[in-house]
Amino acid sequence: MPPKHLRLFDTTLRDGEQTPGVALTAEDKLHIARQLDRLRVDAIEAGFPVTSKGEMEAVRLIAQAGLKAEVCGLARTTRQDVDAALKCDLRSLHLFIATSDIHLRHKLHLTRGQALRKAVEAVEYAKAHGLQVEFSAEDATRTDIAYLKQVYTAVVEAGADRVNVPDTVGVLTPQQTRRLVGEIAEAVKVPISIHCHNDFGMAVANSLAAVEAGATQVHVTVNGLGERSGNAALEEVAMALYSLYRRRLRLRTRLLYETSRLVSRLTGVPVPPNKPIVGENAFAHESGIHAHGVLSMPLTYEPISPALVGRETTIVAGKHAGVHGVRRRVEELGFKPSEQQAREIVERVKELGDRGKYVTTTDLLAIASAVCGQPLAEERVLELKDLAVVTGTDVIPTASVRLIVKGREYVASETGVGPVDAAIKAIRKITDNLINVRLKEYRLEALTGGSDALAEVVVKIEDAGGKVISARAASSDIVKASVEAMVNGLNRLLQTQTTR
Ligand code: KIV
Ligand code: ZN
């Protein structure tokens, strides 16, 4: 029986980790695997056990973590590779051997007959050891189709549970994908999976075409990581299947954005702002016409609700901005401009934009406070005087904070799960009787590279009346940036309370 829902086989921890420059520790891999499991992908390819001791350790950790997803490991068609996977306690194996003439001749130095025998023997060996087997004919899409069908038929007879069709160098078009997958579906009666690379930017379109032709599983990676230009992006495939194809998935799509942020942070690979679904601009609007439309009816310029993927609409101030959007942003920052003041702010924002300047929140704050006559500096209720943290491998992270509140000095210390947590708790200890807030969101981004990178922290906090504001701060010290962002946010909320 084919599965009722389409399966997502996530290979972030295997093909994704093969992204040039990416190497994850066992702890990082386990962290990502747990998040993928919360997201409810169907299968997690945890790694390629035979690669190294560390990789084996990581795959074993994930296999033993009690996850709900099928945990799978990659292996070539050799006993050594299958044994390495067995040592990791895996119950599911992804076996592969190249089948295209170019790979057979120049890489494997095998004849077609020899490769076929190796594939069959490895499947039989893995099945004899109780493993579930997905078989991949590497470079399937440049393989002679009659031979490809012969290989897939033989491995299925040997016991393979699924066959995967890798477009290893990303050369298919959607039309070719449909034809190829359709032919393979005629030849074998086990579930068919698709694995597309993005060399021509076709990975997602080809994966969807494979589904149209009968594939019931798609290989994906978070943020489209993977060899060279990457694999089909999990978030794009999932949302296209869900929203455009109306297919059933097990996925908790609301966790897509936080999963993308986690993977970007741990792999060090930034997400381009214009990346669909998870890029910073995916639900951001600057132009006056768009912002106006979105503010009165989000679906005017948003194809799906951002909440569906764990995001929110953002209105950006800039050269193309209009009064509605800028007013909304300025109100979020704690101002209450009159109609005329809002127009004046827009004029000034456009002037900056015309000079080729990107309008930051700080710029907008300065403009709004000048126009609305709320000089921010003087109105700061809280001022950070000092911050000290103690942390290490064997000590409980502790932070002490010295704050000036309405001219009086207060000191508080707290412990936490890390120095940032401890410092934020210490601030709240001082300010709790002044303002009761909930930290709704905390985001950390490296603005530059290297260990001295400038980090930007964005916090979103909500007061007891439901007013939400976001505030940010940047520093090369993450704890300092976090504390300053929190103090900025509290100041803004306190300002709105006095101007309400
Ligand atoms: O792209 C590819 O061919 C692969 C195989 C290991 C399936 O990643
Ligand atoms: Zn691949």
Side-chain angles (χ1 to χ4, degrees):
M1 279 281 283
K4 285 204 187 67
H5 71 274
L6 259 159
R7 281 173 53 93
L8 292 173
F9 177 107
D10 185 279
T11 179
T12 306
L13 297 175
R14 200 278 298 168
D15 218 323
E17 205 197 1
Q18 288 171 218
T19 303
V22 172
L24 296 163
T25 63
E27 289 72 30
D28 288 347
K29 289 188 86 155
L30 182 60
H31 194 159
I32 292 175
R34 286 195 196 283
Q35 177 69 15
L36 291 169
D37 199 44
R38 278 184 67 218
L39 183 64
R40 294 213 194 120
V41 299
D42 297 275
I44 297 171
E45 186 163 44
F48 193 174
V50 86
T51 312
S52 70
K53 265 196 187 154
E55 179 75 346
M56 212 167 193
E57 169 68 8
V59 176
R60 189 183 299 114
L61 267 177
I62 297 169
Q64 296 175 342
L67 305 183
K68 290 204 177 65
E70 172 187 330
V71 178
C72 179
L74 183 69
R76 292 168 300 183
T77 51
T78 65
R79 288 194 173 203
Q80 186 204 2
D81 279 31
V82 178
D83 290 343
L86 288 167
K87 281 194 197 129
C88 296
D89 262 1
L90 286 169
R91 285 199 289 264
S92 168
L93 194 66
H94 177 196
L95 266 179
F96 79 102
I97 188 166
T99 50
S100 65
D101 287 338
I102 186 168
H103 276 243
L104 290 175
R105 192 169 311 135
H106 298 283
K107 185 183 82 173
L108 297 179
H109 309 292
L110 294 176
T111 64
R112 287 184 182 183
Q114 286 168 329
L116 189 142
R117 273 192 297 282
K118 267 179 85 69
V120 168
E121 276 167 23
V123 172
E124 284 171 350
Y125 183 70
K127 290 305 294 179
H129 285 81
L131 291 165
Q132 165 146 335
V133 174
E134 172 163 328
F135 175 82
S136 274
E138 190 189 15
D139 207 17
T141 58
R142 293 191 300 177
T143 298
D144 171 73
I145 180 75
Y147 174 60
L148 184 64
K149 285 199 262 185
Q150 199 188 349
V151 172
Y152 281 138
T153 311
V155 294
V156 169
E157 268 168 27
D161 301 278
R162 295 192 292 262
V163 294
N164 179 47
V165 185
D167 186 18
T168 303
V169 288
V171 289
L172 283 188
T173 64
Q175 199 181 18
Q176 289 166 337
T177 310
R178 264 188 297 271
R179 200 178 319 128
L180 177 65
V181 171
E183 276 203 47
I184 295 166
E186 289 276 302
V188 293
K189 295 298 162 221
V190 292
I192 294 177
S193 169
I194 185 80
H195 176 107
C196 292
H197 278 273
N198 205 29
D199 299 69
F200 289 90
M202 307 287 265
V204 172
N206 287 340
S207 302
L208 297 170
V211 169
E212 288 174 18
T216 52
Q217 178 181 273
V218 183
H219 281 211
V220 287
T221 56
V222 176
N223 299 337
L225 292 178
E227 285 275 2
R228 307 179 308 281
S229 310
N231 289 62
L234 163 66
E235 52 285 348
E236 295 175 31
V237 170
M239 292 319 294
L241 285 171
Y242 180 81
S243 301
L244 307 179
Y245 285 71
R246 309 264 168 219
R247 295 294 297 253
R248 271 175 62 181
L249 305 171
R250 285 181 67 241
L251 213 68
R252 292 164 78 193
T253 59
R254 276 164 210 278
L255 300 183
L256 278 170
Y257 182 60
E258 69 174 63
T259 307
S260 159
R261 300 304 314 154
L262 175 76
V263 169
S264 173
R265 182 163 65 79
L266 294 182
T267 57
V269 181
V271 174
N274 60 340
K275 169 120 179 40
I277 314 293
V278 292
E280 279 319 296
N281 294 350
F283 300 97
H285 310 272
E286 182 188 309
S287 95
I289 298 171
H290 286 221
H292 186 193
V294 162
L295 288 174
S296 62
M297 170 45 164
L299 288 179
T300 51
Y301 288 106
E302 284 176 347
I304 55 171
S305 162
L308 206 53
V309 294
R311 307 204 58 184
E312 282 173 4
T313 299
T314 51
I315 305 294
V316 178
K319 174 178 167 175
H320 309 100
V323 176
H324 290 90
V326 169
R327 173 186 282 280
R328 168 68 67 97
R329 272 300 285 135
V330 163
E331 282 176 358
E332 278 172 7
L333 295 173
F335 295 89
K336 283 199 149 201
S338 65
E339 201 53 41
Q340 203 188 325
Q341 283 170 333
R343 288 186 191 287
E344 170 71 28
I345 294 169
V346 173
E347 278 313 303
R348 296 200 192 187
V349 164
K350 282 178 184 286
E351 262 170 42
L352 271 187
D354 279 341
R355 279 192 262 135
K357 194 167 180 319
Y358 170 69
V359 183
T360 63
T361 304
T362 317
D363 295 327
L364 192 60
L365 267 170
I367 294 173
S369 80
V371 172
C372 301
Q374 292 174 14
L376 290 173
E378 282 91 308
E379 288 201 7
R380 283 177 75 86
V381 181
L382 309 175
E383 203 186 323
L384 177 67
K385 268 299 187 209
D386 201 6
L387 162 72
V389 288
V390 182
T391 188
T393 47
D394 252 353
V395 290
I396 298 173
T398 309
S400 303
V401 169
R402 192 144 57 94
L403 277 185
I404 306 288
V405 183
K406 294 183 180 163
R408 278 190 61 187
E409 189 175 300
Y410 295 83
V411 179
S413 297
E414 271 292 345
T415 58
V417 291
V420 171
D421 183 47
I424 288 180
K425 278 186 181 158
I427 296 173
R428 291 177 67 169
K429 201 171 177 182
I430 299 175
T431 56
D432 253 5
N433 55 1
L434 198 64
I435 183 166
N436 194 356
V437 294
R438 187 166 76 86
L439 182 60
K440 279 193 77 178
E441 197 179 306
Y442 171 93
R443 231 170 54 226
L444 171 70
E445 261 159 50
L447 296 180
T448 53
S451 58
D452 59 349
L454 192 63
E456 182 180 53
V457 170
V458 181
V459 293
K460 212 171 247 185
I461 52 179
E462 183 178 23
D463 70 9
K467 170 96 188 163
V468 180
I469 60 100
S470 57
R472 61 187 73 216
S475 167
S476 49
D477 179 329
I478 292 169
V479 187
K480 195 164 162 233
S482 308
V483 165
E484 283 175 353
M486 192 68 189
V487 169
N488 288 344
L490 288 168
N491 267 323
R492 261 185 230 148
L493 269 181
L494 288 163
Q495 280 165 8
T496 58
Q497 290 187 344
T498 51
T499 52
R500 252 183 234 173

